[in-house]
mmCIF file of all heavy atoms in Angstrom:
data_model
loop_
_atom_site.group_PDB
_atom_site.id
_atom_site.type_symbol
_atom_site.label_atom_id
_atom_site.label_comp_id
_atom_site.label_asym_id
_atom_site.label_seq_id
_atom_site.Cartn_x
_atom_site.Cartn_y
_atom_site.Cartn_z
ATOM 1 N N SER X 121 7.276 27.649 26.428
ATOM 2 C CA SER X 121 6.340 27.874 25.320
ATOM 3 C C SER X 121 4.882 27.758 25.728
ATOM 4 O O SER X 121 4.018 28.180 24.930
ATOM 5 C CB SER X 121 6.617 26.871 24.208
ATOM 6 O OG SER X 121 6.236 25.588 24.672
ATOM 7 N N GLY X 122 4.614 27.188 26.867
ATOM 8 C CA GLY X 122 3.209 26.982 27.255
ATOM 9 C C GLY X 122 2.541 25.827 26.552
ATOM 10 O O GLY X 122 1.317 25.666 26.628
ATOM 11 N N ILE X 123 3.342 25.067 25.828
ATOM 12 C CA ILE X 123 2.774 23.942 25.095
ATOM 13 C C ILE X 123 3.135 22.618 25.798
ATOM 14 O O ILE X 123 4.300 22.431 26.158
ATOM 15 C CB ILE X 123 3.304 23.923 23.645
ATOM 16 C CG1 ILE X 123 2.898 25.173 22.908
ATOM 17 C CG2 ILE X 123 2.827 22.666 22.917
ATOM 18 C CD1 ILE X 123 3.575 25.373 21.551
ATOM 19 N N ASP X 124 2.153 21.758 25.964
ATOM 20 C CA ASP X 124 2.437 20.472 26.546
ATOM 21 C C ASP X 124 2.916 19.512 25.410
ATOM 22 O O ASP X 124 2.117 18.802 24.804
ATOM 23 C CB ASP X 124 1.185 19.885 27.226
ATOM 24 C CG ASP X 124 0.948 20.542 28.585
ATOM 25 O OD1 ASP X 124 1.919 20.799 29.294
ATOM 26 O OD2 ASP X 124 -0.217 20.779 28.873
ATOM 27 N N TYR X 125 4.203 19.503 25.214
ATOM 28 C CA TYR X 125 4.695 18.732 24.079
ATOM 29 C C TYR X 125 4.460 17.244 24.206
ATOM 30 O O TYR X 125 4.416 16.541 23.174
ATOM 31 C CB TYR X 125 6.224 19.000 23.870
ATOM 32 C CG TYR X 125 6.494 20.413 23.368
ATOM 33 C CD1 TYR X 125 7.145 21.328 24.202
ATOM 34 C CD2 TYR X 125 6.099 20.822 22.111
ATOM 35 C CE1 TYR X 125 7.359 22.605 23.750
ATOM 36 C CE2 TYR X 125 6.322 22.115 21.659
ATOM 37 C CZ TYR X 125 6.963 23.012 22.479
ATOM 38 O OH TYR X 125 7.180 24.299 22.034
ATOM 39 N N TYR X 126 4.356 16.740 25.424
ATOM 40 C CA TYR X 126 4.113 15.311 25.580
ATOM 41 C C TYR X 126 2.872 14.856 24.864
ATOM 42 O O TYR X 126 2.789 13.748 24.363
ATOM 43 C CB TYR X 126 4.117 14.920 27.055
ATOM 44 C CG TYR X 126 2.900 15.334 27.848
ATOM 45 C CD1 TYR X 126 1.780 14.549 27.861
ATOM 46 C CD2 TYR X 126 2.912 16.533 28.571
ATOM 47 C CE1 TYR X 126 0.642 14.929 28.582
ATOM 48 C CE2 TYR X 126 1.806 16.902 29.248
ATOM 49 C CZ TYR X 126 0.663 16.133 29.286
ATOM 50 O OH TYR X 126 -0.437 16.528 29.981
ATOM 51 N N GLN X 127 1.876 15.774 24.779
ATOM 52 C CA GLN X 127 0.622 15.402 24.072
ATOM 53 C C GLN X 127 0.873 15.309 22.580
ATOM 54 O O GLN X 127 0.338 14.443 21.913
ATOM 55 C CB GLN X 127 -0.448 16.384 24.368
ATOM 56 C CG GLN X 127 -0.832 16.435 25.872
ATOM 57 C CD GLN X 127 -2.032 17.312 26.167
ATOM 58 O OE1 GLN X 127 -2.565 17.918 25.301
ATOM 59 N NE2 GLN X 127 -2.417 17.388 27.404
ATOM 60 N N VAL X 128 1.706 16.231 22.089
ATOM 61 C CA VAL X 128 2.026 16.218 20.660
ATOM 62 C C VAL X 128 2.814 14.945 20.394
ATOM 63 O O VAL X 128 2.517 14.190 19.428
ATOM 64 C CB VAL X 128 2.866 17.472 20.287
ATOM 65 C CG1 VAL X 128 3.194 17.444 18.788
ATOM 66 C CG2 VAL X 128 2.119 18.762 20.647
ATOM 67 N N ASP X 129 3.831 14.696 21.222
ATOM 68 C CA ASP X 129 4.675 13.483 21.043
ATOM 69 C C ASP X 129 3.819 12.204 20.989
ATOM 70 O O ASP X 129 3.987 11.359 20.113
ATOM 71 C CB ASP X 129 5.660 13.305 22.221
ATOM 72 C CG ASP X 129 6.633 14.467 22.356
ATOM 73 O OD1 ASP X 129 6.788 15.232 21.407
ATOM 74 O OD2 ASP X 129 7.244 14.578 23.425
ATOM 75 N N LEU X 130 2.919 12.122 21.956
ATOM 76 C CA LEU X 130 2.100 10.903 22.037
ATOM 77 C C LEU X 130 1.171 10.763 20.817
ATOM 78 O O LEU X 130 1.010 9.679 20.222
ATOM 79 C CB LEU X 130 1.289 10.947 23.350
ATOM 80 C CG LEU X 130 0.677 9.686 23.937
ATOM 81 C CD1 LEU X 130 -0.622 9.286 23.290
ATOM 82 C CD2 LEU X 130 1.623 8.500 24.016
ATOM 83 N N GLY X 131 0.644 11.887 20.380
ATOM 84 C CA GLY X 131 -0.250 11.886 19.227
ATOM 85 C C GLY X 131 0.447 11.386 17.993
ATOM 86 O O GLY X 131 -0.088 10.568 17.262
ATOM 87 N N ILE X 132 1.662 11.860 17.789
ATOM 88 C CA ILE X 132 2.395 11.466 16.593
ATOM 89 C C ILE X 132 2.717 9.948 16.646
ATOM 90 O O ILE X 132 2.499 9.221 15.713
ATOM 91 C CB ILE X 132 3.723 12.274 16.445
ATOM 92 C CG1 ILE X 132 3.428 13.763 16.256
ATOM 93 C CG2 ILE X 132 4.550 11.763 15.276
ATOM 94 C CD1 ILE X 132 4.681 14.614 16.383
ATOM 95 N N ALA X 133 3.247 9.540 17.800
ATOM 96 C CA ALA X 133 3.658 8.143 17.937
ATOM 97 C C ALA X 133 2.466 7.213 17.790
ATOM 98 O O ALA X 133 2.589 6.180 17.129
ATOM 99 C CB ALA X 133 4.324 7.928 19.313
ATOM 100 N N MET X 134 1.338 7.594 18.355
ATOM 101 C CA MET X 134 0.210 6.703 18.262
ATOM 102 C C MET X 134 -0.379 6.675 16.845
ATOM 103 O O MET X 134 -0.881 5.676 16.379
ATOM 104 C CB MET X 134 -0.814 7.011 19.323
ATOM 105 C CG MET X 134 -0.342 6.437 20.656
ATOM 106 S SD MET X 134 -1.434 6.338 22.022
ATOM 107 C CE MET X 134 -2.556 5.050 21.701
ATOM 108 N N GLU X 135 -0.319 7.792 16.181
ATOM 109 C CA GLU X 135 -0.803 7.800 14.811
ATOM 110 C C GLU X 135 0.114 6.971 13.897
ATOM 111 O O GLU X 135 -0.354 6.363 12.939
ATOM 112 C CB GLU X 135 -1.036 9.236 14.300
ATOM 113 C CG GLU X 135 -1.783 9.312 12.955
ATOM 114 C CD GLU X 135 -3.212 8.764 12.943
ATOM 115 O OE1 GLU X 135 -3.779 8.495 14.016
ATOM 116 O OE2 GLU X 135 -3.764 8.610 11.851
#
Side-chain angles (χ1 to χ4, degrees):
S121 69
I123 297 171
D124 282 321
Y125 290 112
Y126 71 87
Q127 296 187 359
V128 181
D129 298 343
L130 199 279
I132 297 169
M134 284 193 73
E135 189 63 11

